[in-house]
Amino acid sequence: MQALPRRIPPLLHPKHFNRINPALSAASVRPFHAGAQLRALDLAFDYHENGGKATGAPIVILHGLFGSKKNNRSMSKALARDLGRPVYAIDLRNHGDSPHDTTHNYIALAEDTENFLQQHNLKDPTLIGHSMGAKTAMTVALRNPESCASIIAVDNAPVDAALASDFPKFVMGMQKVEEAKVKTQKEADKILEAYAKDLPVRQYLLTNLIKSPESSANHLKFRIPVRILAHSLDDMADFPFSDPEKNRFEKPALFVRGTRSHYVSDETLPIIGRFFPRFELVDVEAGHWVISENPEEFRRAVVEFLQDKE
């Protein structure tokens, strides 16, 4: 699998510029220590087994920030069919039908995922994650390499890198929607349009809008805890590991990046190679939302990668 030639400057915090330079010594693990014990949450999930025909090693799909297991329903069914492997599409903490908690960083997300693998006795799974889910999958693999057989990281890299400026805008827009106590999706979309110009992005965000659970209320509310996630944006930009000499995943890893996205620039490839020495790279004609923007090309890349490993 070959990557298309390109060079896009990484959107990194200045204090982390040297963190992706292989010629410089790496720092130690970040302050929230990778071995810290947090309260793991029981995660909601959908199970896809292609009518009982999928019997191979499991696949676990992790969505991105503001997403849910529903975003990966079609892809989950396709992979279960094409690979003959059962697929678990999970809701990460503070998303979808999973519980909420004030702690939202990659160590907490990884511990939830590891707990899920243990609860369901999943042996040699492949973890597929997009964006936030990609960094979660990478964190699981580096914390506990024996917990998975391979990972597929979609449009994110193991570096501290600022989120696109769109994400704070999305949060602000969702907060404005809740403050307005809207009663219809149309009202919410009109408010959100000022913060998210693209209709597909607004539709993605509005999948989280539900009737307020308060019995006396007659307005809509986001089922995700917008305030918690707003306060966690910096944590979503970080990555909890910085020393590939201490934490490395020696098993197969596929990195899929969107050709119109900045999250996996050429400058990040050396550090990816140090953390994941067996990594392969595939470019998909898409922006950041690779799976929804170009599902067929993404599906082909995943199937080819996993079939090669069988």
Side-chain angles (χ1 to χ4, degrees), residues 42-50 54 58-63 67-77 79-80 85-92 95-98 116 120 122 223:
D42 292 337
L43 303 178
F45 69 99
D46 285 341
Y47 181 60
H48 306 275
E49 57 175 347
N50 193 29
I59 295 171
V60 179
I61 299 188
L62 315 175
H63 59 80
S68 74
K69 60 184 182 294
K70 291 182 179 179
N71 302 136
N72 295 313
R73 183 172 294 165
S74 297
M75 187 57 61
S76 297
K77 292 179 179 179
L79 295 178
R85 298 174 58 172
V87 178
Y88 295 77
I90 69 178
D91 280 337
L92 294 168
H95 289 77
D97 297 320
S98 284
F116 181 87
H120 296 273
L122 302 186
R223 63 178 173 177

Side-chain angles (χ1 to χ4, degrees), residues 240-259:
F241 296 98
S242 58
D243 188 351
E245 300 304 316
K246 293 182 179 179
N247 299 91
R248 185 179 293 117
F249 185 69
E250 305 277 0
K251 299 177 183 179
L254 174 65
F255 281 72
V256 181
R257 62 180 180 176
T259 56

Side-chain angles (χ1 to χ4, degrees), residues 102 132 162:
T102 54
M132 177 182 76

Side-chain angles (χ1 to χ4, degrees), residues 173-213:
M174 287 188 284
Q175 290 174 327
K176 293 295 184 183
V177 168
E178 289 198 327
E179 290 170 5
K181 296 187 182 300
V182 300
K183 296 182 180 180
T184 67
Q185 288 258 348
K186 186 175 181 180
E187 290 177 67
D189 183 67
K190 186 175 182 179
I191 294 172
L192 203 55
E193 189 174 6
Y195 303 89
K197 294 182 180 179
D198 295 336
L199 178 59
V201 173
R202 296 202 304 277
Q203 290 173 332
Y204 172 81
L205 297 174
L206 290 173
T207 60
N208 292 294
L209 198 63
I210 61 172
K211 186 179 185 305
S212 174

Side-chain angles (χ1 to χ4, degrees), residues 96-174:
D97 297 320
S98 284
H100 297 175
D101 191 274
T102 54
T103 300
H104 194 89
N105 58 47
Y106 288 114
I107 296 300
L109 293 165
E111 291 206 348
D112 291 345
T113 304
E114 291 169 10
N115 182 60
F116 181 87
L117 299 179
Q118 293 170 1
Q119 279 185 325
H120 296 273
N121 195 29
L122 302 186
K123 303 297 184 184
D124 298 322
T126 293
L127 303 184
I128 302 177
H130 170 250
S131 195
M132 177 182 76
K135 278 191 172 180
T136 300
M138 287 184 258
T139 302
V140 171
L142 294 175
R143 275 168 50 93
N144 186 5
E146 297 307 310
S147 67
C148 54
S150 59
I151 68 165
I152 298 174
V154 186
D155 216 53
N156 219 334
V159 296
D160 290 355
L163 296 178
S165 59
D166 289 343
F167 283 94
K169 291 180 182 177
F170 297 161
V171 167
M172 190 178 300
M174 287 188 284

Side-chain angles (χ1 to χ4, degrees), residues 272-300:
I272 291 174
R274 293 178 68 197
F275 278 121
F276 303 93
R278 293 181 60 188
F279 91 99
E280 299 176 37
L281 180 69
V282 169
D283 282 348
V284 169
E285 183 59 38
H288 179 59
W289 313 94
V290 177
I291 301 175
S292 60
E293 290 182 44
N294 198 336
E296 180 54 26
E297 193 172 337
F298 174 78
R299 184 198 62 79
R300 286 199 304 267

